[in-house]
PDB file of all heavy atoms in Angstrom:
ATOM      1  N   VAL X   1       0.777  -1.220   0.015  1.00 98.00           N
ATOM      2  CA  VAL X   1       0.040   0.061   0.022  1.00 98.00           C
ATOM      3  C   VAL X   1       0.847   1.260  -0.013  1.00 98.00           C
ATOM      4  O   VAL X   1       0.618   2.241  -0.743  1.00 98.00           O
ATOM      5  CB  VAL X   1      -0.937  -0.031   1.218  1.00 98.00           C
ATOM      6  CG1 VAL X   1      -1.608   1.421   1.364  1.00 98.00           C
ATOM      7  CG2 VAL X   1      -2.022  -1.131   0.984  1.00 98.00           C
ATOM      8  N   ASP X   2       1.918   1.254   0.810  1.00 98.00           N
ATOM      9  CA  ASP X   2       2.779   2.426   0.857  1.00 98.00           C
ATOM     10  C   ASP X   2       3.472   2.708  -0.451  1.00 98.00           C
ATOM     11  O   ASP X   2       3.556   3.770  -0.968  1.00 98.00           O
ATOM     12  CB  ASP X   2       3.867   2.237   1.945  1.00 98.00           C
ATOM     13  CG  ASP X   2       3.353   2.546   3.320  1.00 98.00           C
ATOM     14  OD1 ASP X   2       2.235   3.060   3.436  1.00 98.00           O
ATOM     15  OD2 ASP X   2       3.991   2.162   4.339  1.00 98.00           O
ATOM     16  N   ALA X   3       3.991   1.578  -1.091  1.00 98.00           N
ATOM     17  CA  ALA X   3       4.661   1.770  -2.354  1.00 98.00           C
ATOM     18  C   ALA X   3       3.673   2.278  -3.461  1.00 98.00           C
ATOM     19  O   ALA X   3       4.041   3.129  -4.257  1.00 98.00           O
ATOM     20  CB  ALA X   3       5.174   0.392  -2.768  1.00 98.00           C
ATOM     21  N   CYS X   4       2.423   1.711  -3.466  1.00 98.00           N
ATOM     22  CA  CYS X   4       1.470   2.217  -4.434  1.00 98.00           C
ATOM     23  C   CYS X   4       1.103   3.685  -4.259  1.00 98.00           C
ATOM     24  O   CYS X   4       0.992   4.455  -5.200  1.00 98.00           O
ATOM     25  CB  CYS X   4       0.255   1.306  -4.398  1.00 98.00           C
ATOM     26  SG  CYS X   4       0.458  -0.334  -5.049  1.00 98.00           S
ATOM     27  N   ALA X   5       0.898   4.035  -2.973  1.00 97.00           N
ATOM     28  CA  ALA X   5       0.553   5.459  -2.702  1.00 97.00           C
ATOM     29  C   ALA X   5       1.741   6.422  -3.090  1.00 97.00           C
ATOM     30  O   ALA X   5       1.466   7.540  -3.620  1.00 97.00           O
ATOM     31  CB  ALA X   5       0.249   5.611  -1.238  1.00 97.00           C
ATOM     32  N   THR X   6       2.942   5.966  -2.878  1.00 97.00           N
ATOM     33  CA  THR X   6       4.075   6.744  -3.235  1.00 97.00           C
ATOM     34  C   THR X   6       4.091   7.073  -4.754  1.00 97.00           C
ATOM     35  O   THR X   6       4.487   8.189  -5.131  1.00 97.00           O
ATOM     36  CB  THR X   6       5.371   6.074  -2.769  1.00 97.00           C
ATOM     37  OG1 THR X   6       5.417   5.894  -1.412  1.00 97.00           O
ATOM     38  CG2 THR X   6       6.615   6.917  -3.236  1.00 97.00           C
ATOM     39  N   TYR X   7       3.731   6.055  -5.520  1.00 97.00           N
ATOM     40  CA  TYR X   7       3.875   6.227  -7.007  1.00 97.00           C
ATOM     41  C   TYR X   7       2.561   6.471  -7.702  1.00 97.00           C
ATOM     42  O   TYR X   7       2.442   6.434  -8.900  1.00 97.00           O
ATOM     43  CB  TYR X   7       4.524   5.002  -7.577  1.00 97.00           C
ATOM     44  CG  TYR X   7       6.033   4.946  -7.293  1.00 97.00           C
ATOM     45  CD1 TYR X   7       6.493   4.305  -6.179  1.00 97.00           C
ATOM     46  CD2 TYR X   7       6.916   5.590  -8.083  1.00 97.00           C
ATOM     47  CE1 TYR X   7       7.871   4.309  -5.827  1.00 97.00           C
ATOM     48  CE2 TYR X   7       8.266   5.615  -7.814  1.00 97.00           C
ATOM     49  CZ  TYR X   7       8.752   4.975  -6.763  1.00 97.00           C
ATOM     50  OH  TYR X   7      10.087   4.979  -6.424  1.00 97.00           O
ATOM     51  N   GLY X   8       1.483   6.706  -6.938  1.00 96.00           N
ATOM     52  CA  GLY X   8       0.228   7.122  -7.567  1.00 96.00           C
ATOM     53  C   GLY X   8      -0.497   5.978  -8.273  1.00 96.00           C
ATOM     54  O   GLY X   8      -1.232   6.234  -9.228  1.00 96.00           O
ATOM     55  N   ILE X   9      -0.344   4.786  -7.822  1.00 98.00           N
ATOM     56  CA  ILE X   9      -1.057   3.632  -8.427  1.00 98.00           C
ATOM     57  C   ILE X   9      -1.814   2.918  -7.332  1.00 98.00           C
ATOM     58  O   ILE X   9      -1.848   3.349  -6.159  1.00 98.00           O
ATOM     59  CB  ILE X   9      -0.080   2.677  -9.129  1.00 98.00           C
ATOM     60  CG1 ILE X   9       0.858   1.971  -8.136  1.00 98.00           C
ATOM     61  CG2 ILE X   9       0.733   3.431 -10.189  1.00 98.00           C
ATOM     62  CD1 ILE X   9       1.745   0.965  -8.790  1.00 98.00           C
ATOM     63  N   PHE X  10      -2.602   1.825  -7.650  1.00 98.00           N
ATOM     64  CA  PHE X  10      -3.609   1.290  -6.774  1.00 98.00           C
ATOM     65  C   PHE X  10      -3.220  -0.071  -6.318  1.00 98.00           C
ATOM     66  O   PHE X  10      -2.842  -1.002  -7.052  1.00 98.00           O
ATOM     67  CB  PHE X  10      -4.943   1.260  -7.478  1.00 98.00           C
ATOM     68  CG  PHE X  10      -5.379   2.666  -7.990  1.00 98.00           C
ATOM     69  CD1 PHE X  10      -5.484   2.974  -9.288  1.00 98.00           C
ATOM     70  CD2 PHE X  10      -5.710   3.634  -6.975  1.00 98.00           C
ATOM     71  CE1 PHE X  10      -5.853   4.231  -9.698  1.00 98.00           C
ATOM     72  CE2 PHE X  10      -6.115   4.862  -7.417  1.00 98.00           C
ATOM     73  CZ  PHE X  10      -6.175   5.158  -8.702  1.00 98.00           C
ATOM     74  N   PRO X  11      -3.401  -0.346  -4.933  1.00 98.00           N
ATOM     75  CA  PRO X  11      -3.166  -1.654  -4.434  1.00 98.00           C
ATOM     76  C   PRO X  11      -4.442  -2.450  -4.275  1.00 98.00           C
ATOM     77  O   PRO X  11      -5.532  -1.954  -4.026  1.00 98.00           O
ATOM     78  CB  PRO X  11      -2.648  -1.300  -2.954  1.00 98.00           C
ATOM     79  CG  PRO X  11      -3.309  -0.050  -2.617  1.00 98.00           C
ATOM     80  CD  PRO X  11      -3.602   0.639  -3.920  1.00 98.00           C
ATOM     81  N   TYR X  12      -4.299  -3.811  -4.413  1.00 98.00           N
ATOM     82  CA  TYR X  12      -5.472  -4.678  -4.339  1.00 98.00           C
ATOM     83  C   TYR X  12      -5.106  -5.953  -3.550  1.00 98.00           C
ATOM     84  O   TYR X  12      -3.941  -6.429  -3.600  1.00 98.00           O
ATOM     85  CB  TYR X  12      -5.855  -5.270  -5.743  1.00 98.00           C
ATOM     86  CG  TYR X  12      -6.380  -4.171  -6.648  1.00 98.00           C
ATOM     87  CD1 TYR X  12      -5.493  -3.258  -7.268  1.00 98.00           C
ATOM     88  CD2 TYR X  12      -7.696  -4.013  -6.943  1.00 98.00           C
ATOM     89  CE1 TYR X  12      -5.896  -2.287  -8.105  1.00 98.00           C
ATOM     90  CE2 TYR X  12      -8.086  -3.077  -7.878  1.00 98.00           C
ATOM     91  CZ  TYR X  12      -7.194  -2.228  -8.398  1.00 98.00           C
ATOM     92  OH  TYR X  12      -7.614  -1.227  -9.313  1.00 98.00           O
ATOM     93  N   TRP X  13      -6.008  -6.463  -2.770  1.00 96.00           N
ATOM     94  CA  TRP X  13      -5.850  -7.815  -2.225  1.00 96.00           C
ATOM     95  C   TRP X  13      -6.122  -8.748  -3.402  1.00 96.00           C
ATOM     96  O   TRP X  13      -6.870  -8.495  -4.272  1.00 96.00           O
ATOM     97  CB  TRP X  13      -6.809  -8.029  -1.066  1.00 96.00           C
ATOM     98  CG  TRP X  13      -6.751  -9.506  -0.602  1.00 96.00           C
ATOM     99  CD1 TRP X  13      -7.600 -10.506  -0.905  1.00 96.00           C
ATOM    100  CD2 TRP X  13      -5.670 -10.079   0.134  1.00 96.00           C
ATOM    101  NE1 TRP X  13      -7.138 -11.723  -0.349  1.00 96.00           N
ATOM    102  CE2 TRP X  13      -5.941 -11.461   0.290  1.00 96.00           C
ATOM    103  CE3 TRP X  13      -4.518  -9.582   0.736  1.00 96.00           C
ATOM    104  CZ2 TRP X  13      -5.139 -12.367   1.018  1.00 96.00           C
ATOM    105  CZ3 TRP X  13      -3.726 -10.449   1.408  1.00 96.00           C
ATOM    106  CH2 TRP X  13      -4.030 -11.806   1.518  1.00 96.00           C
ATOM    107  N   GLY X  14      -5.432  -9.920  -3.284  1.00 94.00           N
ATOM    108  CA  GLY X  14      -5.596 -10.920  -4.402  1.00 94.00           C
ATOM    109  C   GLY X  14      -6.714 -11.922  -4.075  1.00 94.00           C
ATOM    110  O   GLY X  14      -7.802 -11.559  -3.684  1.00 94.00           O
ATOM    111  N   PRO X  15      -6.497 -13.228  -4.209  1.00 94.00           N
ATOM    112  CA  PRO X  15      -7.528 -14.194  -4.003  1.00 94.00           C
ATOM    113  C   PRO X  15      -7.771 -14.577  -2.592  1.00 94.00           C
ATOM    114  O   PRO X  15      -6.840 -14.564  -1.737  1.00 94.00           O
ATOM    115  CB  PRO X  15      -6.961 -15.437  -4.820  1.00 94.00           C
ATOM    116  CG  PRO X  15      -5.479 -15.308  -4.700  1.00 94.00           C
ATOM    117  CD  PRO X  15      -5.228 -13.870  -4.723  1.00 94.00           C
ATOM    118  N   PHE X  16      -9.010 -14.983  -2.361  1.00 93.00           N
ATOM    119  CA  PHE X  16      -9.304 -15.688  -1.073  1.00 93.00           C
ATOM    120  C   PHE X  16      -9.922 -17.037  -1.540  1.00 93.00           C
ATOM    121  O   PHE X  16     -11.019 -17.062  -2.200  1.00 93.00           O
ATOM    122  CB  PHE X  16     -10.381 -14.907  -0.266  1.00 93.00           C
ATOM    123  CG  PHE X  16     -10.577 -15.474   1.073  1.00 93.00           C
ATOM    124  CD1 PHE X  16      -9.748 -15.204   2.124  1.00 93.00           C
ATOM    125  CD2 PHE X  16     -11.644 -16.391   1.282  1.00 93.00           C
ATOM    126  CE1 PHE X  16      -9.978 -15.777   3.398  1.00 93.00           C
ATOM    127  CE2 PHE X  16     -11.870 -17.028   2.465  1.00 93.00           C
ATOM    128  CZ  PHE X  16     -10.995 -16.680   3.582  1.00 93.00           C
ATOM    129  N   GLY X  17      -9.251 -18.131  -1.278  1.00 91.00           N
ATOM    130  CA  GLY X  17      -9.485 -19.392  -1.825  1.00 91.00           C
ATOM    131  C   GLY X  17     -10.620 -20.192  -1.342  1.00 91.00           C
ATOM    132  O   GLY X  17     -11.264 -21.043  -2.081  1.00 91.00           O
ATOM    133  N   ASP X  18     -11.088 -19.970  -0.105  1.00 93.00           N
ATOM    134  CA  ASP X  18     -12.181 -20.732   0.412  1.00 93.00           C
ATOM    135  C   ASP X  18     -13.495 -20.105   0.145  1.00 93.00           C
ATOM    136  O   ASP X  18     -14.006 -19.235   0.814  1.00 93.00           O
ATOM    137  CB  ASP X  18     -12.032 -20.864   1.951  1.00 93.00           C
ATOM    138  CG  ASP X  18     -12.969 -21.881   2.574  1.00 93.00           C
ATOM    139  OD1 ASP X  18     -13.937 -22.326   1.894  1.00 93.00           O
ATOM    140  OD2 ASP X  18     -12.740 -22.278   3.756  1.00 93.00           O
ATOM    141  N   ILE X  19     -14.021 -20.520  -1.010  1.00 94.00           N
ATOM    142  CA  ILE X  19     -15.247 -19.877  -1.498  1.00 94.00           C
ATOM    143  C   ILE X  19     -16.409 -20.003  -0.516  1.00 94.00           C
ATOM    144  O   ILE X  19     -17.258 -19.141  -0.412  1.00 94.00           O
ATOM    145  CB  ILE X  19     -15.723 -20.551  -2.864  1.00 94.00           C
ATOM    146  CG1 ILE X  19     -14.522 -20.438  -3.913  1.00 94.00           C
ATOM    147  CG2 ILE X  19     -16.978 -19.881  -3.398  1.00 94.00           C
ATOM    148  CD1 ILE X  19     -14.118 -19.036  -4.234  1.00 94.00           C
ATOM    149  N   ARG X  20     -16.449 -21.117   0.232  1.00 95.00           N
ATOM    150  CA  ARG X  20     -17.610 -21.400   1.129  1.00 95.00           C
ATOM    151  C   ARG X  20     -17.507 -20.470   2.392  1.00 95.00           C
ATOM    152  O   ARG X  20     -18.564 -20.216   3.007  1.00 95.00           O
ATOM    153  CB  ARG X  20     -17.602 -22.867   1.500  1.00 95.00           C
ATOM    154  CG  ARG X  20     -17.876 -23.774   0.398  1.00 95.00           C
ATOM    155  CD  ARG X  20     -17.609 -25.191   0.812  1.00 95.00           C
ATOM    156  NE  ARG X  20     -16.234 -25.402   1.212  1.00 95.00           N
ATOM    157  CZ  ARG X  20     -15.698 -26.512   1.725  1.00 95.00           C
ATOM    158  NH1 ARG X  20     -16.498 -27.600   1.875  1.00 95.00           N
ATOM    159  NH2 ARG X  20     -14.474 -26.629   2.032  1.00 95.00           N
ATOM    160  N   ASP X  21     -16.330 -20.047   2.776  1.00 95.00           N
ATOM    161  CA  ASP X  21     -16.143 -19.301   3.980  1.00 95.00           C
ATOM    162  C   ASP X  21     -16.336 -17.765   3.663  1.00 95.00           C
ATOM    163  O   ASP X  21     -15.401 -17.083   3.643  1.00 95.00           O
ATOM    164  CB  ASP X  21     -14.824 -19.583   4.611  1.00 95.00           C
ATOM    165  CG  ASP X  21     -14.756 -19.027   6.016  1.00 95.00           C
ATOM    166  OD1 ASP X  21     -15.663 -18.287   6.470  1.00 95.00           O
ATOM    167  OD2 ASP X  21     -13.744 -19.358   6.762  1.00 95.00           O
ATOM    168  N   THR X  22     -17.596 -17.468   3.520  1.00 96.00           N
ATOM    169  CA  THR X  22     -17.835 -16.018   3.142  1.00 96.00           C
ATOM    170  C   THR X  22     -17.541 -15.089   4.261  1.00 96.00           C
ATOM    171  O   THR X  22     -17.281 -13.891   4.072  1.00 96.00           O
ATOM    172  CB  THR X  22     -19.352 -15.839   2.720  1.00 96.00           C
ATOM    173  OG1 THR X  22     -20.160 -16.322   3.736  1.00 96.00           O
ATOM    174  CG2 THR X  22     -19.562 -16.676   1.427  1.00 96.00           C
ATOM    175  N   VAL X  23     -17.613 -15.556   5.547  1.00 96.00           N
ATOM    176  CA  VAL X  23     -17.367 -14.672   6.686  1.00 96.00           C
ATOM    177  C   VAL X  23     -15.900 -14.316   6.726  1.00 96.00           C
ATOM    178  O   VAL X  23     -15.524 -13.089   6.855  1.00 96.00           O
ATOM    179  CB  VAL X  23     -17.758 -15.366   8.027  1.00 96.00           C
ATOM    180  CG1 VAL X  23     -17.313 -14.558   9.230  1.00 96.00           C
ATOM    181  CG2 VAL X  23     -19.265 -15.588   8.058  1.00 96.00           C
ATOM    182  N   ALA X  24     -14.990 -15.263   6.586  1.00 94.00           N
ATOM    183  CA  ALA X  24     -13.546 -14.998   6.548  1.00 94.00           C
ATOM    184  C   ALA X  24     -13.151 -14.231   5.345  1.00 94.00           C
ATOM    185  O   ALA X  24     -12.251 -13.392   5.397  1.00 94.00           O
ATOM    186  CB  ALA X  24     -12.815 -16.296   6.730  1.00 94.00           C
TER     187      ALA X  24
END
């Protein structure tokens, strides 16, 4: 996040693999 903010681009979380665990 810090690196992206420094260079004016956007950070994202990637995959969450347990499709059934919608709470987590």
Side-chain angles (χ1 to χ4, degrees):
V1 168
D2 282 347
C4 287
T6 299
Y7 286 92
I9 65 177
F10 301 112
Y12 298 75
W13 175 258
F16 188 86
D18 191 344
I19 304 300
R20 295 169 299 178
D21 193 349
T22 55
V23 173

